[in-house]
Amino acid sequence: EATSLVVRQDQTIWIGTNAGIFILDRSRTKISEFDYTHQNEFINLIGQNYINDLMEDRLGNIWIATSFGLYKYDGQKINSYFCDRYNPDGLCNDWVNVVFEDEQGWIWVGTNQGVRYLMPGETEFITNDSISGMSANPILSFCQISPNEILMGTRNGISHYAKNSNTFTPLTQSINHSNNVINSILMDDQKQIWIGTNNGVTMINPANKSFIFDQRDGLRNAYFKRGSLAKQDGIIYLGGFHGIDYISPIDIPFNKTAPKIIVSNITVEYSNGETNYIPVNQDQISLRYKRNALVSIDFTSLDFTYPERCQYKVFMEGYDKQWSEPTNINNVKYLDLPAGEYLLNIEASNSDLQ
């Protein structure tokens, strides 16, 4: 099973598998296993190991992320890095999922228990207090979106690290993912962020709007593995169990029509078991006040493309202090509303979340 690959500066292709590393030569006619000559101790550590990721840095070193340690091959010798409870500047876990070099030459290492990074010229990994909260999260992917900003994909959403302020911010609540397991992250030529997950792909545009793509949009895959996103000549390529999908971001026909919203049902349930059904074909309604009454309002968006994708938020003037968070739940309930006058506001997105 091929698990990762990298095209080196010498145009050879290194292929990581579930049983070591193989190399395809420049003529693309011969494939051979990585040569462990004079370093037999690494035959079992790498040759029989699951290769999670491969990366060539700007100096030509190959970094090898495995299920037991991290390795660096400089063309002559192999250096190894492991978790050491007596050395806080070592790896935080021996299961290494991903290795990434940013524009400044920092080497970022994502493990099953957090992240470490190695600065240029240094030999010890840095433990940064501002990202210590990542220790509970397996780090699956990295993406640099500006010289000072790194996105990290985890099994529980995306986190943002700002180098200049040394601050770390989870973004799980502010971004609508198709799935919280973030296997791959990529930025396209329009500065849009593409996220490959266990259940579809999410695109986030520079205005921070999210768009979800899955098999209903024509993708042949739903599950996108680690390192499965790539780009070339403006095209996004997405690899999955059923082959490769590709998307031209500038040619996506987004639905920009704002949907009409209708209120479909209003009920009032009283503590004595009585239920009143209120006619909805009117702009104003009057309800008999009674303590502990539960007012339930159903509504829907007249977008029939993929109605399950539509999202709603509500704000009851005179009662709510702020708009609710967007959700695909098309119902709102109010318990024990005080006597008074209220105005219910409802906003809905279409199936493209616009």
Side-chain angles (χ1 to χ4, degrees), residues 178 197-202 211-224 238-245 247 305-306 308-309:
S178 52
T197 77
N198 279 3
N199 187 27
V201 176
T202 298
F211 303 87
I212 295 174
F213 304 92
D214 55 31
Q215 290 169 310
R216 292 169 295 186
D217 298 295
L219 296 180
R220 66 179 65 194
N221 296 287
Y223 177 86
F224 297 94
L238 312 102
F241 285 124
H242 302 291
I244 297 176
D245 292 292
I247 299 173
T305 309
Y306 299 118
E308 66 276 13
R309 284 187 180 176

Side-chain angles (χ1 to χ4, degrees), residues 13-24:
I13 297 178
W14 285 46
I15 305 167
T17 75
N18 58 345
I21 298 172
F22 296 83
I23 301 170
L24 183 63

